[in-house]
C-alpha cells in the first residue's frame, strides 16, 4: 500500500471538528498550567469558541462525498454530523452555565472544562464510530470523563456518592457491553467493522443463533444505560441529584444523544437480521421508561430528581422513533433530540441560576418566584411546558412528529401510551409552574423572600443569562419556525447510506414477520 | 383577513405581557384590541356571502410539510357566528373585569391569548392546526382559574380542568392521527380527508374517540364533573370565557369533525347521542334545582343547554343543525349575561347563597336594575318567546322531533324544568324582603351595568329578529347534512 493510497484511506479531514475540540482542550489545559488560576477568566470563552468552531466545521462537512475515514473506523455521514452537532452544542451551553457554578464551588474551572471537552470529544467520536473497538474506546472516554465530572465537587458527600454509584454501574454496564461486542466479533468470524459484521454473520450462518441474541441483549444493556432507559435507569435519579447541575445538563442531553447515535448506528448496521427482536426489546424499554419516568416524577420534591425522572420519560418518547424504524421515525428522533437540547438545557440553566441565588433546589422553595425574578420564571415555565408538550412550543412539535411517525409505522399502542403519559407529565411540570406563578405574595417561601438583588454584572453571570435567553427564544420559536429543523432532521436520515436498506425494507414490509434482508453493500472491499 | 383575528390579539398579548405599563393602560389596550376585533368581525360578516356553502376568506400557507401541517384558515356558516360570539364575549369579559385586579398585565394578556386560540380553533381547516389551537387554551385557562379564582378550592378546580382538557386534547389528537393515517392521506387538511373508504368498524372507533374527546369539553353527562368546579371557582369574566366560548369549541368540533368527517357513520351513533343529549338536559336541569349556590345553578344549567345542541347535532336535519348553531350562540350570550350579573351580585352583596340572598328587587336599597336584568336573563335561558333562547330551542326541538321523538319530548320537558330552577333562583334572590342588618350594598355604577345591557340588547334583538341569528349558517348546514341524509336512506334501503 503506497502512501498516497493510505492518505485517501485515512481521510483524516473527516474528523476536523473533533480535532478542533482536541486543540481547544489542549489550549485550555496548557493555558491553565502556564497562566495559573487567573486563566479561568478566558478559558471558558476559549472553550466555547472552540466548540462553535467545531460546529462550523461540521456544517462544511454536510453531504461529504467520502464519509468513511480511518480505514473504515469512522463514518462521517450526515447522521453522525447531526449528532456530533447536538453534542457539541450541548457542551457549549453547559459551559455557559458552569462558569459561575464551578467557581462558587471552589474548584478549578479549567480542569472541569478539560474533562467536559474530553467527554464531548468522546461523544462526538461515538456518533460516527463505525468499528467495534472505536465504539468501545469513544464510549469509555465519554463514560470515564462523566464519572470524573459527577464527582467533581469533591467536598460534597452527595457528589462523591453519586460518582461512586455512577462508576460502579457504568463500569459494569460497559463490561456487559464489551462482552456483547466480543461475541459479535467471534460470531462474525473476526470482523470488527459494523457493516462487515453483518456480512460475516450471514456468511457464518449465525443469523438465528443464540449467540447473536445474547450479544444483542448485552449490547442493549450498554446502550440502555447511556440513554437511561428503564430498567437500566437506576443511576439517573441519584446521579442527577448529587452531581453538579451543569454536569447533569450535559449528561441529560449530550451523553444521551451519544447513546441514541450509538443505538441507531450499531443496531441498524450490525443487527439487521434481528431487527424485529431488538425492536421488541426496545418496545419493552420504551413502555417501562414512559410509565416509570412519568409516574415516579409525580412524587418528587427535589427539582433535580424530578428532571431526572423526566429525562427517563423523555428517553421513552424518543425510543418510539427508534422502534418505528422508518425514515420518519429516525428523523423524528433527531428532531426531538434537537429541541430537547434547548428545552432541557434551558430548564437546567434556570435550576442552576436559582440554586446559585438561593442555595436550594427544592420544588417547594420556588413558591412565589414570579415577583422576584420574572425572567427565570418565564424561562423555566416555558421550558417545562415545552417538555410537557404544550403548543406552540418546540416540544409540542417534537412530540407530534414522534407520535405521527410511530403511528405511521403501526405502533398504535406505544403512541397511545405516549399520549396518556404526556398528560401525566403535564401534571408534574405544571406543578412547578404553579409554585412559581400562581402562588400569592404571602405564600412566598423563605428563600424567595430573601432573594438577592438580581445583578447580571457579576463575573460569570452574563454567560448564564445568555444561555437562558437563547434557550428561551429557541424553545418558544423552534416549534413555529421549525421547517429548517425538520429539513435538517429529514435530510440527515435520507442522506445516510447505512440506513437506506432498513428504511426501504421497513417501508416495504408492513407486516412484522422477520423478512430476510440483504446486508448493506460494502464499498470498501479494496481495502486489503 | 382571518389571520388578523388571530395574530393581532397575540401581538397585543405580547405587548401587554412584555412592555411595562400600568394596569389601566393594559386594560385599555386589551379593550381596544377586543373592540377592534368586533369591528373586524362585522366587516367580515358584511363581506360574508350567505349563499355559499363552502369556505370563504380562505388562507393557505405551507407550514410543516413533513407533518402534513399547513396554516390553512377558512370561515363558513358554521364558524362565522361563533367567531362573532367569541369577539362579543371577549369584549364583555375584558370590560367586566374588575379595575383593580391583581397582576393586570398577565390577566389581560391571557384573555387575549384565549380569544386568539378559540378563534383559531374555529377557523382552522387543518386537523393538526385545530389541535394546536385547541391545546393552546390549556395553560391560559389553568392560570386564569388558579390565580384569579374564587375560594381556596381554585387550585383543585384548575388542576381538574387542566387534566380533563388535556385528556380531551389527547383523544382528539389520537382520533385525528387515526383518521389521517387510516385514510392514507399525507396531509391533515380538512378537505383532503375522506373517511368513506374506511371499514365501518374503524370509522366507529375513530368517531367514538372524537365524541369522547369533544364530549369532555362540551361537556356531556358522564364526562362533565370538571365543569361545576371550574365554572364556580373561576371569576365571572373567566367563567364567561370558559362557558361562553370554550364549550362551543367542543360542540363545534363535534359538528365539524364528527358530523362532517363521518357522515356515513353518523346515522349509527346518532340515536345514542340523542339519548345522551336528553340525559344531559335532564341531569343539568334536575341537578340545578338542587343547588344552593346560584353560580353552581347556572353552571349546571349550562350542561342542560349543551344537551340540546347534542340532540340537534344527532338529529342532523337541516332545521336542527341550524338550531344547533343558533343554540350555541344563544347559550353563549345568555350564559354570559347570567355569569356577569351573578358576578355583580356577589361583588355587591358578598354572597352567592340562595338561603342568604333576598329582596334584591327592592328599588332603593336593593339592586333593582341588576335584578331586572337577572329576571330577563333567567327568562331567556328558560326559553321564553321573544328572546333568543326560545328561537334556538324551538328550532332544535322542531328539527329533531321527526328523527328522535322521545328524546325531543324529554328535552321539551327539560325546558320546563329550566323554568323551575330559574323561578327558584329569581324568587330567592330578587323577591322577598331585604335583611335590615346586612342590606347596605354599594351602588352599582353605570359602567358595571354596560355589559349586561349590551347582552340584553343582543338577546332581545336576536329573539325578535331571528333571521340575523340563523341566516349565516343555513347554506352551510344544509350542505353538511345533505351527505348524511343521502347515506342514511341508502342504508335503510340496504337493510330492507
Amino acid at each position: 500500500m503506497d502512501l498516497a493510497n493510505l492518505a485517501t484511506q485515512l481521510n483524516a479531514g473527516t474528523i476536523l471538528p473533533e480535532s478542533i475540540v482536541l486543540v481547544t482542550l489542549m489550549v485550555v489545559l496548557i493555558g491553565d498550567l502556564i497562566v495559573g488560576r487567573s486563566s479561568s477568566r478566558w478559558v471558558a470563552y476559549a472553550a466555547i469558541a472552540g466548540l462553535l468552531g467545531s460546529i462550523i466545521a461540521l456544517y462544511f462537512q454536510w453531504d461529504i462525498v467520502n464519509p468513511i475515514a480511518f480505514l473504515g473506523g469512522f463514518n462521517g455521514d450526515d447522521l453522525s454530523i447531526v449528532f456530533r452537532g447536538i453534542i457539541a452544542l450541548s457542551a457549549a451551553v453547559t459551559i455557559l452555565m458552569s462558569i459561575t457554578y464551578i467557581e462558587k464551588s471552589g474548584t478549578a474551572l479549567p480542569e472541569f472544562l478539560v474533562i467536559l471537552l474530553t467527554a464531548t470529544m468522546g461523544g462526538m467520536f461515538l456518533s460516527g464510530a463505525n468499528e467495534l473497538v472505536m465504539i468501545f474506546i469513544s464510549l469509555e472516554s465519554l463514560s470515564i470523563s462523566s464519572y470524573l465530572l459527577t464527582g467533581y465537587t469533591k467536598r460534597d458527600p452527595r457528589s462523591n456518592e453519586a460518582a461512586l454509584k455512577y462508576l460502579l454501574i457504568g463500569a459494569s454496564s460497559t463490561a456487559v457491553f464489551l462482552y456483547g461486542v466480543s461475541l459479535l466479533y467471534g460470531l462474525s468470524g473476526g470482523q470488527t467493522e459494523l457493516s462487515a459484521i453483518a456480512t460475516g454473520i450471514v456468511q457464518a450462518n449465525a443469523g438465528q443463533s443464540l449467540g447473536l441474541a445474547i450479544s444483542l441483549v448485552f449490547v442493549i444493556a450498554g446502550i440502555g444505560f447511556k440513554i437511561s432507559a428503564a430498567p437500566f435507569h437506576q443511576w439517573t435519579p441519584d446521579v442527577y441529584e448529587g452531581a453538579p447541575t451543569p454536569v447533569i445538563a450535559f449528561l441529560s442531553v449530550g451523553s444521551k444523544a451519544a447513546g441514541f447515535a450509538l443505538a441507531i448506528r450499531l443496531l441498524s448496521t450490525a443487527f439487521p437480521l434481528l431487527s424485529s427482536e431488538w425492536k421488541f426489546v426496545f418496545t419493552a424499554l420504551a413502555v417501562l421508561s414512559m410509565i416509570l419516568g412519568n409516574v415516579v416524577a409525580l412524587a418528587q420534591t427535589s427539582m433535580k430528581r424530578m428532571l431526572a425522572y423526566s429525562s427517563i420519560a423523555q428517553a421513552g418518547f424518543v425510543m418510539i422513533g427508534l422502534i418505528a424504524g422508518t425514515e420518519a421515525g429516525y428523523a423524528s428522533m433527531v428532531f426531538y433530540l434537537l429541541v430537547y437540547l434547548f428545552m432541557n438545557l434551558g430548564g437546567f440553566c434556570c435550576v442552576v441560576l436559582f440554586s446559585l441565588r438561593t442555595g436550594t433546589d427544592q420544588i417547594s422553595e420556588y413558591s412565589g418566584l414570579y415577583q422576584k425574578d420574572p425572567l427565570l420564571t418565564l424561562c423555566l415555565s416555558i421550558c417545562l411546558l415545552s417538555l410537557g408538550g404544550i403548543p406552540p412550543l418546540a416540544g409540542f412539535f417534537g412530540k407530534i412528529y414522534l407520535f405521527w411517525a410511530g403511528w405511521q409505522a403501526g405502533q398504535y399502542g406505544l403512541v397511545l401510551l405516549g399520549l396518556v403519559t404526556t398528560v401525566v407529565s403535564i401534571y408534574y411540570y405544571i406543578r412547578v409552574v404553579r409554585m412559581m406563578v400562581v402562588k400569592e405574595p404571602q405564600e412566598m417561601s423563605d428563600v424567595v423572600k430573601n432573594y438577592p438583588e438580581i445583578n447580571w454584572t457579576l463575573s460569570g453571570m452574563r454567560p448564564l443569562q445568555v444561555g437562558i435567553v437563547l434557550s428561551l427564544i429557541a424553545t418558544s420559536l423552534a416549534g413555529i419556525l421549525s421547517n429548517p429543523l425538520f429539513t435538517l432532521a429529514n435530510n440527515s436520515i435520507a442522506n445516510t447510506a447505512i440506513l437506506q436498506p432498513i428504511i426501504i425494507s421497513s417501508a416495504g414490509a408492513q407486516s412484522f414477520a422477520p423478512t430476510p434482508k440483504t446486508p448493506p453493500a460494502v464499498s470498501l472491499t479494496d481495502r486489503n | 383577513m382571518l389571520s388578523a383575528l388571530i395574530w393581532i390579539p397575540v401581538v397585543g398579548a405580547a405587548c401587554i405581557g412584555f412592555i411595562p405599563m400600568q394596569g389601566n393602560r393594559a386594560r385599555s389596550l386589551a379593550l381596544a384590541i377586543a373592540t377592534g376585533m368586533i369591528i373586524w368581525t362585522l366587516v367580515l360578516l358584511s363581506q360574508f356571502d350567505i349563499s355559499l356553502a363552502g369556505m370563504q376568506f380562505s388562507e393557505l400557507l405551507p407550514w410543516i410539510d413533513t407533518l402534513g401541517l399547513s396554516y390553512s384558515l377558512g370561515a363558513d356558516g358554521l364558524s362565522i357566528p361563533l367567531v362573532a360570539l367569541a369577539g362579543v364575549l371577549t369584549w364583555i369579559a375584558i370590560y367586566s373585569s374588575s379595575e383593580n385586579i391583581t397582576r393586570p398585565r398577565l390577566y389581560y394578556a391571557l384573555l387575549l391569548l384565549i380569544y386568539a386560540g378559540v378563534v383559531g380553533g374555529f377557523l382552522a381547516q387543518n386537523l393538526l392546526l385545530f389541535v394546536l389551537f385547541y391545546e393552546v387554551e390549556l395553560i391560559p385557562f389553568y392560570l386564569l382559574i388558579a390565580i384569579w379564582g374564587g375560594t381556596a378550592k381554585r387550585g383543585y378546580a384548575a388542576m381538574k380542568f387542566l387534566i380533563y382538557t388535556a385528556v380531551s386534547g389527547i383523544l382528539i389528537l389520537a382520533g385525528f392521527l387515526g383518521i389521517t393515517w387510516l385514510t392514507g392521506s399525507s396531509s391533515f387538511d380538512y378537505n383532503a380527508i375522506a373517511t368513506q373508504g374506511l371499514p365501518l368498524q374503524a370509522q366507529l372507533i375513530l368517531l367514538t374517540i372524537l365524541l369522547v374527546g369533544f364530549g369532555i369539553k362540551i361537556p356531556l353527562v358522564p364526562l362533565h364533573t370538571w365543569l361545576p368546579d371550574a365554572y364556580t371557582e373561576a371569576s365571572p369574566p373567566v367563567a364567561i370565557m370558559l362557558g361562553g366560548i370554550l364549550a362551543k369549541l367542543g360542540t363545534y368540533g363535534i359538528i365539524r369533525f364528527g358530523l362532517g368527517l363521518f357522515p356515513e357513520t353518523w346515522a349509527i351513533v346518532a340515536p345514542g347521542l340523542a339519548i345522551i343529549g336528553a340525559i344531559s338536559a335532564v341531569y343539568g336541569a334536575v341537578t340545578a334545582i338542587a343547588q344552593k349556590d346560584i353560580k353552581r345553578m347556572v353552571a349546571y344549567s349550562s350542561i342542560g343547554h349543551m344537551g340540546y345542541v347534542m340532540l340537534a347535532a344527532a338529529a342532523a336535519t337541516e332545521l336542527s343543525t341550524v338550531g344547533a348553531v343558533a343554540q350555541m350562540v344563544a347559550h353563549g350570550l345568555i350564559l354570559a349575561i347570567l355569569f356577569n350579573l351573578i358576578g355583580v351580585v356577589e361583588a355587591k352583596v358578598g354572597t352567592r347563597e340562595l338561603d342568604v340572598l333576598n329582596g334584591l328587587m327592592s328599588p332603593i336599597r336593593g339592586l333593582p336594575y341588576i335584578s331586572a336584568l337577572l329576571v330577563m336573563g333567567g327568562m331567556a335561558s328558560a326559553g321564553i318567546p321573544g328572546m333568543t333562547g326560545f328561537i334556538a330551542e324551538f328550532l332544535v326541538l322542531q328539527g329533531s322531533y321527526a328523527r328522535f321523538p322521545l328524546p325531543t319530548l324529554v328535552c321539551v320537558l327539560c325546558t320546563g324544568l329550566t323554568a323551575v330552577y330559574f323561578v327558584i333562583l329569581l324568587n330567592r334572590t330578587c323577591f322577598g324582603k331585604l335583611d335590615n342588618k346586612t342590606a347596605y350594598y354599594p351602588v352599582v355604577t353605570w359602567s358595571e351595568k354596560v355589559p349586561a345591557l349590551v347582552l340584553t340588547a343582543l338577546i332581545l334583538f336576536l329573539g325578535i329578529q331571528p333571521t340575523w341569528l340563523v341566516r349565516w349558517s343555513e347554506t352551510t348546514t344544509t350542505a353538511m347534512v345533505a351527505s348524511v341524509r343521502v347515506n342514511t336512506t341508502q342504508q335503510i334501503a340496504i337493510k330492507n
Side-chain angles (χ1 to χ4, degrees):
Chain A
M1 193 182 286
D2 60 308
L3 204 62
N5 195 16
L6 185 70
T8 47
Q9 293 275 323
L10 276 181
N11 194 10
T14 327
I15 60 159
L16 180 67
E18 284 79 3
S19 315
I20 295 176
V21 175
L22 180 66
V23 169
T24 323
L25 190 154
M26 299 311 287
V27 167
V28 169
L29 186 64
I30 295 167
D32 179 40
L33 285 177
I34 294 174
V35 188
R37 202 65 202 261
S38 63
S39 66
S40 60
R41 252 177 282 146
W42 56 267
V43 279
Y45 304 104
I48 292 171
L51 287 167
L52 292 181
S54 153
I55 292 169
I56 292 167
L58 281 172
Y59 173 78
F60 285 109
Q61 299 219 326
W62 188 258
D63 275 345
I64 189 171
V65 184
N66 178 17
I68 308 287
F70 291 95
L71 309 160
F74 188 83
N75 190 344
D77 53 10
D78 286 355
L79 182 75
S80 82
I81 290 178
V82 160
F83 276 102
R84 285 144 87 194
I86 293 178
I87 294 164
L89 199 56
S90 76
V93 182
T94 305
I95 292 173
L96 285 180
M97 65 175 103
S98 60
I99 297 174
T100 328
Y101 191 96
I102 296 300
E103 299 218 313
K104 281 247 171 133
S105 71
T107 40
L109 182 63
E111 283 170 38
F112 178 84
L113 295 178
V114 167
I115 309 175
L116 183 68
L117 288 174
T118 316
T120 311
M121 211 171 60
M124 287 170 79
F125 274 125
L126 186 58
S127 309
N130 199 29
E131 203 229 3
L132 295 180
V133 179
M134 177 78 188
I135 287 177
F136 185 73
I137 290 174
S138 41
L139 183 68
E140 276 296 79
S141 76
L142 173 61
S143 301
I144 293 173
S145 325
S146 304
Y147 310 144
L148 292 173
L149 289 173
T150 309
Y152 194 70
T153 47
K154 49 186 175 285
R155 293 201 185 79
D156 181 358
R158 287 191 309 167
S159 176
N160 283 322
E161 190 198 326
L164 184 63
K165 190 162 189 176
Y166 194 27
L167 172 67
L168 292 179
I169 301 179
S172 47
S173 86
T174 324
V176 172
F177 181 79
L178 186 59
Y179 191 52
V181 165
S182 65
L183 272 178
L184 268 186
Y185 175 71
L187 285 168
S188 61
Q191 300 290 346
T192 57
E193 202 191 306
L194 292 183
S195 44
I197 286 173
T199 342
I201 287 172
V202 174
Q203 275 165 4
N205 233 346
Q208 297 299 322
S209 73
L210 185 63
L212 194 60
I214 293 176
S215 125
L216 174 70
V217 170
F218 283 4
V219 164
I220 288 180
I223 295 172
F225 167 79
K226 268 277 159 269
I227 60 176
S228 59
F232 307 107
H233 70 283
Q234 273 100 344
W235 60 276
T236 321
D238 295 332
V239 170
Y240 275 43
E241 200 178 14
T245 317
V247 174
I248 53 176
F250 178 74
L251 289 185
S252 72
V253 181
S255 170
K256 197 169 271 191
F260 275 113
L262 172 65
I264 295 179
R265 193 172 295 277
L266 185 58
L267 295 174
S268 60
T269 346
F271 293 98
L273 294 167
L274 292 183
S275 75
S276 59
E277 281 82 358
W278 66 255
K279 279 181 185 168
F280 175 75
V281 177
F282 268 99
T283 311
L285 296 190
V287 168
L288 279 174
S289 304
M290 284 192 279
I291 294 179
L292 184 133
N294 282 312
V295 172
V296 181
L298 291 175
Q300 302 306 316
T301 53
S302 150
M303 192 71 192
K304 281 159 83 176
R305 268 189 103 83
M306 192 207 83
L307 285 172
Y309 281 104
S310 131
S311 90
I312 296 172
Q314 302 283 342
F317 292 130
V318 178
M319 274 185 263
I320 294 178
L322 185 66
I323 296 157
T326 54
E327 188 174 339
Y330 291 123
S332 69
M333 285 175 74
V334 172
F335 181 78
Y336 197 79
L337 284 170
L338 273 170
V339 294
Y340 181 68
L341 183 140
F342 297 118
M343 352 191 237
N344 227 32
L345 291 182
F348 275 116
C349 275
C350 297
V351 174
V352 167
L353 183 58
F354 186 76
S355 72
L356 279 177
R357 286 185 176 153
T358 63
T360 171
D361 52 15
Q362 291 293 309
I363 293 176
S364 57
E365 302 289 357
Y366 282 78
S367 182
L369 189 64
Y370 76 92
Q371 288 215 316
K372 301 284 179 127
D373 198 341
L375 175 67
L376 200 156
T377 309
L378 179 70
C379 180
L380 190 51
S381 305
I382 293 285
C383 288
L384 289 179
L385 293 177
S386 176
L387 281 168
I390 303 283
L393 304 172
F396 172 78
F397 290 88
K399 277 209 177 114
I400 287 275
Y401 195 21
L402 276 175
F403 293 154
W404 176 225
W407 196 281
Q408 277 183 319
Q411 305 288 341
Y412 305 121
L414 269 184
V415 173
L416 288 179
L417 182 70
L419 288 169
V420 170
T421 47
T422 301
V423 176
V424 179
S425 78
I426 289 175
Y427 181 83
Y428 61 80
Y429 289 127
I430 199 105
R431 218 164 46 118
V432 182
V433 179
R434 185 174 67 112
M435 277 295 164
M436 294 187 296
V437 183
V438 175
K439 293 283 181 182
E440 300 293 329
Q442 60 268 22
E443 293 169 301
M444 226 181 248
S445 66
D446 287 338
V447 294
V448 175
K449 268 183 200 142
N450 304 323
Y451 204 72
E453 195 72 19
I454 297 169
N455 186 359
W456 290 111
T457 51
L458 293 174
S459 83
M461 291 304 265
R462 262 316 155 199
L464 192 53
Q465 190 187 24
V466 168
I468 286 182
V469 172
L470 275 185
S471 48
L472 175 64
I473 293 171
T475 310
S476 3
L477 296 183
I480 298 168
L481 309 174
S482 54
N483 246 341
L485 286 184
F486 269 112
T487 320
L488 176 73
N490 287 335
N491 284 350
S492 73
I493 300 301
N495 298 346
T496 300
I498 56 155
L499 294 175
Q500 294 318 314
I502 304 122
I503 289 164
I504 290 159
S505 67
S506 62
Q510 278 293 328
S511 66
F512 294 99
T515 44
K517 292 180 182 75
T518 49
V522 185
S523 58
L524 284 163
T525 39
D526 61 336
R527 185 151 56 91
N528 306 315
Chain B
M1 288 180 93
L2 298 176
S3 285
L5 287 176
I6 301 170
W7 291 105
I8 292 176
V10 169
V11 172
C15 289
I16 293 174
F18 288 110
I19 300 170
M21 59 173 85
Q22 293 289 314
N24 285 335
R25 184 75 55 82
R27 180 192 158 90
S28 321
L29 185 54
L31 209 54
I33 291 170
T35 317
M37 290 304 105
I38 292 180
I39 293 168
W40 189 241
T41 314
L42 287 177
V43 172
L44 287 179
L45 283 175
S46 69
Q47 305 276 314
F48 189 79
D49 185 352
I50 55 169
S51 61
L52 289 179
M55 290 295 159
Q56 303 180 33
F57 317 118
S58 291
E59 288 176 24
L60 177 65
L61 286 174
W63 192 358
I64 301 172
D65 293 335
T66 326
L67 285 180
L69 170 63
S70 63
Y71 179 78
S72 161
L73 302 180
D76 65 356
L78 188 58
S79 45
I80 200 100
L82 297 172
V83 170
L85 175 74
V88 172
L89 294 195
T90 308
W91 187 88
I92 298 277
I94 293 173
Y95 187 87
S96 63
S97 298
S98 150
E99 299 261 350
N100 41 15
I101 197 162
T102 54
R103 296 151 90 185
R105 282 166 52 207
L106 182 61
Y107 179 83
Y108 292 111
L110 291 178
L111 282 184
L112 287 178
L113 275 184
I114 285 174
Y115 171 78
V118 174
V119 168
F122 288 140
L123 297 178
Q125 294 306 316
N126 181 294
L127 302 191
L128 217 47
L129 191 66
F130 178 83
V131 172
L132 201 154
F133 283 123
Y134 191 84
E135 299 231 335
V136 160
E137 309 298 318
L138 211 62
I139 300 301
F141 263 117
Y142 171 82
L143 292 176
L144 282 173
I145 300 174
I147 298 178
W148 294 277
T151 57
K153 244 183 99 188
R154 61 177 186 267
Y156 167 79
M159 193 53 96
K160 202 169 171 181
F161 165 82
L162 181 80
I163 291 173
Y164 267 85
T165 315
V167 170
S168 144
I170 291 303
L171 286 169
I172 292 165
L173 179 58
F176 284 170
L177 286 177
I179 292 170
T180 311
W181 177 242
L182 291 178
T183 54
S185 165
S186 62
S187 92
F188 282 87
D189 279 332
Y190 185 78
N191 297 327
I193 288 167
T195 58
Q196 274 75 1
L198 284 184
L200 184 65
Q201 207 178 359
Q203 288 197 34
L204 273 178
I205 292 173
L206 293 172
L207 182 55
T208 313
I209 292 175
L210 286 189
L211 286 175
V212 175
F214 287 118
I216 293 174
K217 199 80 158 196
I218 294 177
L220 293 176
V221 143
L223 314 167
H224 67 282
T225 49
W226 63 271
L227 180 139
D229 290 314
Y231 281 26
T232 317
E233 291 304 316
S235 67
V238 177
I240 289 172
M241 300 289 277
L242 198 56
I245 307 179
L246 197 66
K248 305 302 172 288
L249 210 50
T251 43
Y252 168 83
I254 280 205
I255 295 178
R256 167 80 71 209
F257 300 108
L259 185 66
L261 288 179
F262 297 95
E264 281 184 332
T265 334
W266 191 255
I268 302 171
V269 298
L273 278 183
I275 292 169
I276 290 177
I279 291 175
S280 289
V282 175
Y283 177 89
V286 171
T287 328
I289 291 177
Q291 298 305 314
K292 293 285 174 210
D293 176 335
I294 49 177
K295 208 167 175 185
R296 263 189 122 74
M297 228 175 195
V298 176
Y300 277 109
S301 91
S302 169
I303 299 180
H305 285 99
M306 292 319 243
Y308 301 151
V309 180
M310 270 328 294
L311 173 73
T317 59
E318 280 144 23
L319 201 56
S320 78
T321 324
V322 172
V325 180
Q327 172 72 0
M328 286 189 237
V329 176
H331 171 256
L333 295 174
I334 296 169
L335 191 78
I337 191 173
L338 288 172
F339 273 137
N340 178 259
L341 293 170
I342 289 170
V344 176
V345 168
E346 192 189 4
K348 301 295 169 191
V349 183
T351 180
R352 296 195 309 252
E353 294 295 315
L354 271 185
D355 297 339
V356 186
L357 289 167
N358 227 337
L360 294 184
M361 205 64 140
S362 158
I364 295 165
R365 285 196 301 151
L367 311 169
Y369 284 104
I370 297 300
S371 306
L373 291 170
L374 194 59
V375 172
M376 208 288 309
M379 279 161 59
S381 186
I384 304 292
M387 284 169 273
T388 176
F390 168 77
I391 303 297
E393 281 171 26
F394 186 75
L395 281 173
V396 167
L397 300 173
Q398 171 85 358
S400 313
Y401 184 74
R403 198 57 72 76
F404 302 114
L406 199 62
T408 310
L409 287 175
V410 172
C411 283
V412 174
L413 198 69
C414 287
T415 57
L417 289 176
T418 311
V420 169
Y421 63 79
F422 271 112
V423 167
I424 294 177
L425 189 155
L426 299 174
N427 189 22
R428 301 272 192 87
T429 49
C430 302
F431 303 116
K433 263 190 185 162
L434 280 176
D435 184 349
N436 273 329
K437 282 180 212 139
T438 54
Y440 295 95
Y441 305 135
V443 183
V444 182
T445 58
W446 264 104
S447 63
E448 284 170 313
K449 292 176 201 160
V450 167
L453 286 174
V454 170
L455 288 168
T456 309
L458 275 174
I459 289 170
L460 286 174
F461 173 73
L462 293 178
I464 295 163
Q465 182 55 275
T467 327
W468 285 86
L469 183 61
V470 295
R471 65 195 290 252
W472 314 106
S473 48
E474 273 171 319
T475 329
T476 307
T477 49
T478 308
M480 211 164 207
V481 297
S483 53
V484 180
R485 300 204 85 174
V486 171
N487 287 312
T488 41
T489 45
Q490 271 177 356
Q491 274 178 355
I492 292 162
I494 292 163
K495 269 182 200 160
N496 294 338

